[in-house]
Structures are given as structure tokens and as C-alpha cells.
Amino acid sequence: MNACQETAEPAAHALPGLVQGPHGEPSALLRLALGRGPVRTAVVHPCDSPSLAAVSAAFRGGLIDPVIVAPRDRLRPLASAAGIQLNGIEIVDVPHSHAAAARAVELAAHGEVQVLMKGSLHTDELMAAVVPPESGLRTGKRISHCFLMQLPSYARPFIITDAAINVAPDLEQKCGIVQNAIDLGHALGLALPRVAILGAVETVNPHMRSTLDAAALSKMADRGQLIGALVDGPLAFDNAISVRAARLKGIASPVAGRADILVVPDLEAGNMLVKQLEFLSGAASAGIVMGARVPIVLTSRADSVSARIASCALAAVLAIRPVGSGHTKENV
């Protein structure tokens, strides 16, 4: 019996999937996003073909109402050479990527856009504009990243966090990371997500900090310091996702084998796990930054257009839309 077979559950108890139906039907995530309507999105410096193609596709598909913040003189030849139509998309002209990040954050802080989307600039450059307290985008929450993933060989989608923002989080930071992922699970329809705090082993080892943090986070959930989820750990990856592996190891847990959220010990472990699942197992993914005033789509330069569109769909589900807003658009 494989992992897919042994963890199959009714769709009502699973996160929305990212894969099209057998006859090309939109994914569950895309249907959920389209039901909310397009969201005003500042696209920061999309000065390469994949970024521009994703903006155009997400716009034409009804997911986002984009505002491109980038040097206009770079966009004109790029769009023309790639055969990408940007008619109907507003352009905010800025001299360079640093200015694009600053201006996009300003638009979000003033409520003129409800989502930020990274283009071809570096992650550090965009997040450096978001993180300072004076940006207007900080809240009392930890800023962290979540991947929603779906594998062809596994029955249910799941969330992995944090594989992109927090390098080596301590216990307090992990608490914020876990709560953000729980909040994402709630937003995607799970009333009580099951959270596995991952380690190399499923027992507490005083010499392995990740197992100590996992045990502490589990107890914090028991005491109401983490809200709205079943949390257990440490759990090794196999017994977090496989009922059979958990049973063979004698682990009695409502989370083991059925995790909706996988919390990695640090960024290195998470990044390697995500990329292995994508490039070796054919996983579909969507990524989002949580904890700021607006969702942030933080794409990788290696992401496909479909992955970028899925991330836009995730942001569209999370975004809070203003009532009765109107905008004047300027074309390239």
C-alpha cells in the first residue's frame, strides 16, 4: 500500500488541490480564487518573460487586477519580443528595481493594492522594503512563508513552512510561523488543521534542538498558545505523512500520517524538501508570504508560469478586497 492510498480522505477534510481535473477542469484552488473575484495586485519589477507572461495570464484569467511597478522603457521591448499583450494593465513607471519595491510597498500601505507580487528582482530586495516598521505593512505577526503543495502520488495537498524567509528560527519565531500556517489552513477551508512539527526522529533528543522545539510547540498548542489546530511533534517525515509508517513505529497521534501542515526545522531543510518534491516528484506548488498586512506572492526565478498563477490564486483567496474601489488604467 502506498502513501496515497493509505491517507485518502473525503475532499471536505483536505486543503484545495492545485492540479487540473481529468478533463482540464480548473483546480480546486483556482475555483476557490475565481469565486472571490480579481484582486488589485502590485507586480514588482516583472522585467523578464516568465514574470510578464504570468502577469498577463493571471490578468486574462480573472485572478488579479494588476498594477505593474517597473521601468516603462524596459517593459516595452520585453513585452513586444515575447508577444505578451499588456493592454488594459496599469503601469507605474519607476527607474529601477529598488524604487519598484519601495513604490509597491507604498501602494499596499495606502490600501491602493491588496496583494504584492514579486517579479524578477531578488527576494531580499522586495522583503527589505516590506520588513521595516515604517513600511506600513508590519503587523504583530511573524512574517513567514508557506508553500501549498500537491503531489501526483499522494492523496491530499499539504502546506510546508517555512522554506523561504526565516533562516534558523528560534522557538518564539517558530510559534509565529506555525500560527501563520494554521491561519492559512483556516482560510483554505480547514476548521482544525493537523500540524506536524518535523525532525529527523520522532523522539525528543536533548542533543537535537529541533526535537526540543517540536515538543515545546506541541505543549504550547495543548495550553492554548497556538490556536485552532492539532499540533504534534517531533515527527519524522515518514510518520508525518504515512499512516503505515506511524503504525509500525507505534506512534499514536491524531496528526501522524495525516498532516495538513509540515513545519520544518529551518530554511535549509524546508528549501531542499520543497525542491526535491517539485523536481523529483512532480509536485505542483503555490507560495505565499503570511504575516504582513497584505499577502505577498514570492515567486522563484525557476518557477513555471503555472506555479506563478497558482500563487496568484492563493493570494486572491487570502486578500481582503475594498468595497467600491475604482482605478484609472494606463497602458504600456
Side-chain angles (χ1 to χ4, degrees), residues 105 108-109 113-116 126-127 129-132 135-145 165-166 176 180 183 288-297 318-320:
V105 167
V113 298
Q114 287 71 55
V115 171
L116 294 179
L126 175 57
M127 295 310 297
V130 172
V131 168
S135 73
L137 296 186
R138 295 303 301 270
T139 68
K141 298 181 179 180
R142 183 78 189 169
I143 290 179
S144 62
H145 186 274
I165 298 291
N166 293 277
N180 279 344
D183 293 345
I288 201 76
V289 173
M290 304 284 292
R293 280 181 52 194
V294 299
I296 303 170
V297 177
L318 294 172
I320 299 173

Side-chain angles (χ1 to χ4, degrees), residues 43-255:
V43 187
V44 188
H45 202 261
C47 292
D48 62 6
S49 294
S51 298
L52 268 187
V55 174
S56 179
F59 173 50
R60 309 298 170 193
L63 284 174
I64 65 172
D65 177 15
V67 181
I68 294 179
V69 187
R72 187 189 307 276
D73 289 344
R74 290 190 62 181
L75 292 175
R76 291 179 189 273
L78 182 61
S80 177
I84 297 170
Q85 293 293 324
L86 296 179
N87 295 333
I89 297 177
E90 182 179 347
I91 308 297
V92 175
D93 188 27
V94 293
H96 46 66
S97 58
H98 184 74
R103 179 62 179 138
V105 167
E106 186 179 78
L107 291 172
H110 288 106
E112 297 181 48
V113 298
Q114 287 71 55
V115 171
L116 294 179
M117 180 178 178
K118 175 179 172 285
S120 58
L121 76 173
H122 288 288
T123 295
D124 289 349
E125 192 171 8
L126 175 57
M127 295 310 297
V130 172
V131 168
E134 60 271 17
S135 73
L137 296 186
R138 295 303 301 270
T139 68
K141 298 181 179 180
R142 183 78 189 169
I143 290 179
S144 62
H145 186 274
C146 292
F147 278 108
L148 176 63
M149 308 199 75
Q150 184 176 14
L151 279 71
S153 60
Y154 193 69
R156 295 171 19 261
F158 52 86
I159 292 166
I160 294 178
T161 190
D162 179 348
I165 298 291
N166 293 277
V167 176
D170 60 22
L171 178 60
E172 181 180 8
Q173 292 164 347
K174 286 180 181 179
C175 186
I177 289 167
V178 173
Q179 190 63 60
N180 279 344
I182 293 169
D183 293 345
L184 176 58
H186 291 167
L188 294 175
L190 284 184
L192 195 67
R194 291 168 292 213
V195 182
I197 314 297
L198 295 184
V201 296
E202 63 278 354
T203 54
V204 177
N205 184 330
H207 301 291
M208 301 176 70
R209 177 188 147 188
S210 63
T211 68
L212 297 174
D213 286 351
L217 289 165
S218 299
K219 182 53 66 176
M220 291 169 78
D222 291 343
R223 300 291 169 85
Q225 291 173 270
L226 289 166
I227 301 169
L230 298 173
V231 181
D232 196 14
L235 290 171
F237 182 81
D238 57 347
N239 46 63
I241 58 96
S242 169
V243 172
R244 179 175 179 273
R247 186 183 299 120
L248 288 173
K249 292 187 177 182
I251 299 172
S253 164
V255 174

